Amino acid sequence: MTFTAARRLELPRPDGTLESFAPGEPAPFEPPARPLRSRVFFAAAHVVCDPLAPGDPAGPARLDWDATLAYRRHLWSWGLGVAEAMDTAQRGMGLDWAAARELIRRSISEARASGGEIACGAGTDQLPADRPASLDAIREAYLEQLGFIEGEGGRGVMMASRALAVAARSADDYRSIYDAVLAEARRPVILHWLGEQFDPSLRGYWGARDLDEASATVLELIADNAERIDGIKTSLLDAERERALRRALPAGVRLYTGDDLNYPDLIRGDGETASDALLGVFDAIAPAASAALQALDAGDAAGFDERVAPTLPLARRLFEPPTPGYKTGIVFLAYLGGHQRHFRMVGGLESARSILHLSEVFRLADRAGLLRDPDLAVERMRRLLALAGVGE
C-alpha cells in the first residue's frame, strides 16, 4: 500500500526534543540474478507473533505462520540463507521448543519449495528450566532436537545450552557432550558460541571465564571433529578474537561471524582469511547485505564497502546494551517495511526499547537507504509516536 500523506513527521531526538524529519528515497538495491558465492550469508530470522494469542506474555508462543514464512521468502529472494529458530527468533525469550519445532518443520518445507538455504537451531530448551539437568539428559536433549532437524531434511546449528552452562564442572564436561552429539550428526553441523553480552547465563561457557582458555577448548573440539563441523558462529563482539580463531581453524571449517558490531571488516577479510556470516542484523538489512555480497562476487571491494558501511551505525544502535533487546528493533523495522501488520512480539518484548531508541533506528535505517516504502514507514511511525503521546 502506498500512502499519499506528506512524509514529514515530528521525530524525537535523543535528548527528548522534537525535530521535523522526512526520510529520503530508498537505496536502489536489486535482488541477485544468480546465487551469491563469495561468502556464505545466513540471516538469523525473527518470527511474527499472532497479536491475538491469549496468555501473552506468559505464553505459550503462537505465531502468524503466513507472515513468518513470507519473511523467510523475502530473505531468500535477496540470496541469503535463513538461520532458523535461533536467538533472533526469541529462542529462549518466549519461543519454546514446541513452537520452535513447528517453526523448523514449516521453514524447512518452505526452503525446499523455494530453493533457499536453511540451518536450524538445535538446543536443550525442552528440559525443565526450574531445576538442574544431568549431563546425560542434556546430551539426549541435544540429540532429540538435532535428530528432528535432520529427520526433516535440515542442517543443525548446535546452539549454546543454558542447561549445560549450569551442569558442566569443567571443559571435559563440554567436550563429552559435544563429542557425543557430533558423533551422531548426519550432516556437518554449525557450532554456536554465544557471548554473555547476548545471554549472561552463558558466562564461562566451554568451562572457562578466560576467553583464551575457552578458545583453546573450542579449537581442540573442532580439530577432533572437523569432518562433522561445517563451521562455528562466534557472537563475542570481539573482532580481534574472531580473527585469531579464524586463522586457527582447520582447513574447510568456516568462521561465521556473529559480530553485529564489526561485520564489514570481518566479512571483507584481511587478505588471507575472511569470515562468512550468520547475523541477526541481516534480518533487517537484507537488501544492503545482498548488494554488498553481489559486489564482492564482482571483485568490487570498494562497492562492498559502499553498500555495507551505511548499515553499521544502524547495527550498532540496534545492538546497543542491553544487547538482547536488539530483537525489538529488528521486528520494528519489519513492521515499518510492511512485512507484518503489527508491532507486537512474543512475550510482549516490543516494550524492550524506548521510543527514543526506535526513533533513532528510524533515522539510521533511512540513512542506510533501507526504508523501502518511505510513505508506509512514516505512516506507521506516526502511529507508534501517537501511542507514546508524541504530537498529541
Side-chain angles (χ1 to χ4, degrees), residues 356-391:
L356 296 180
H357 173 92
L358 296 177
S359 295
E360 191 63 14
V361 167
F362 185 94
R363 287 188 186 88
L364 294 172
D366 172 58
R367 290 177 196 167
L370 290 167
L371 298 180
R372 311 300 293 163
D373 184 339
D375 293 321
L376 175 63
V378 166
E379 175 67 18
R380 291 190 161 185
M381 189 69 206
R382 280 202 186 104
R383 296 178 194 172
L384 194 62
L385 291 169
L387 288 173
V390 178

Side-chain angles (χ1 to χ4, degrees), residues 231-284:
I232 179 170
K233 166 185 160 72
T234 60
S235 300
L236 302 177
L237 305 183
D238 183 335
E240 284 307 312
R241 184 167 298 281
E242 179 172 317
R243 292 187 185 99
L245 192 66
R246 189 173 71 196
R247 289 191 295 267
L249 289 174
V253 176
R254 299 178 183 275
L255 192 297
Y256 290 96
T257 186
D259 189 334
D260 299 274
L261 306 183
N262 300 292
Y263 55 91
D265 287 345
L266 292 165
I267 292 168
R268 187 190 314 104
D270 55 18
E272 296 182 3
T273 61
S275 295
D276 295 286
L278 196 165
L279 287 164
V281 75
F282 278 7
D283 179 292

Side-chain angles (χ1 to χ4, degrees), residues 100-118:
R101 179 185 172 104
E102 182 64 11
L103 175 64
I104 288 165
R105 185 188 68 79
R106 291 182 186 235
S107 292
I108 289 175
S109 177
E110 198 71 28
R112 189 178 298 115
S114 301
E117 289 293 320
I118 191 167

